[in-house]
Amino acid sequence: MTSETVRKNAVKVLFVDDEFIEFRALKKKIAELSEPLVEVEYSPSIGDALEKIRAARFDLILLDNRLLPNADFRETVPELRGIGYTGPIGVVSTDISGGYFQEFPDYGVDFRIGKDEIDAQTLQHIIREYVHYDVPDFWKDDYSI
């Protein structure tokens, strides 16, 4: 398989967080995934994310809940949807217990997850659940339980 074929088949994730250290942590967790191949790009702001989405295709966006100057996902997700992004968006936060998180479907968010909950297994589950991806045969047994 050529590197171009691998890149074409990779699940492309855009991680939007104003803390670069969070991106580094996510990259380490993604490195533990054996399947699927995941390419992750980083955006430090919603403005940068909007530019990247206009320029390239992403299969999934993981978005920090609070990005300055916006208050939270209730402002940032409508901006992403407003430029035509229709793929899954997950809001990632240190604390997802706030009552306003119950409103996430009203703003175009597909799921929410605590930063401490993200690991390789969780990322595989998110990709299976929200991203169109050809599931390898060895995963299909997992669905027959």
Side-chain angles (χ1 to χ4, degrees), residues 3-139:
S3 63
E4 185 59 36
T5 304
V6 169
R7 293 179 73 146
K8 188 173 136 189
N9 293 331
V11 174
K12 290 195 60 169
V13 177
L14 181 61
F15 184 71
V16 187
D17 195 312
D18 51 4
E19 299 281 338
F20 185 74
I21 193 80
E22 296 289 347
F23 173 67
R24 298 272 316 252
L26 180 69
K27 289 251 328 172
K28 284 185 178 187
K29 292 171 185 176
I30 286 175
E32 297 172 21
L33 283 174
S34 58
E35 189 70 31
L37 179 65
V38 175
E39 285 183 12
V40 63
E41 284 192 41
Y42 174 70
S43 283
S45 67
I46 194 67
D48 185 67
L50 293 169
E51 287 179 30
K52 286 186 177 177
I53 293 165
R54 286 182 182 113
R57 171 195 64 83
F58 290 95
D59 300 304
L60 171 67
I61 295 175
L62 295 175
L63 177 70
D64 186 25
N65 181 42
R66 296 206 182 269
L67 291 170
L68 296 177
N70 302 84
D72 56 43
F73 73 86
R74 294 174 290 183
E75 291 181 18
T76 54
V77 172
E79 287 186 56
L80 297 172
R81 297 296 188 201
I83 63 163
Y85 180 77
T86 58
I89 298 175
V91 172
V92 181
S93 183
T94 304
D95 180 13
I96 59 171
S97 65
Y100 68 95
F101 275 103
Q102 301 308 313
E103 303 170 23
F104 76 92
D106 298 338
Y107 291 89
V109 177
D110 294 281
F111 64 93
R112 64 186 188 277
I113 188 167
K115 288 182 178 180
D116 60 336
E117 297 176 275
I118 298 177
D119 59 21
Q121 186 175 6
T122 302
L123 289 169
Q124 275 186 333
H125 174 76
I126 288 169
I127 290 167
R128 283 186 215 170
E129 189 72 22
Y130 294 99
V131 177
H132 177 67
Y133 176 71
D134 292 329
V135 178
D137 288 336
F138 69 90
W139 279 9

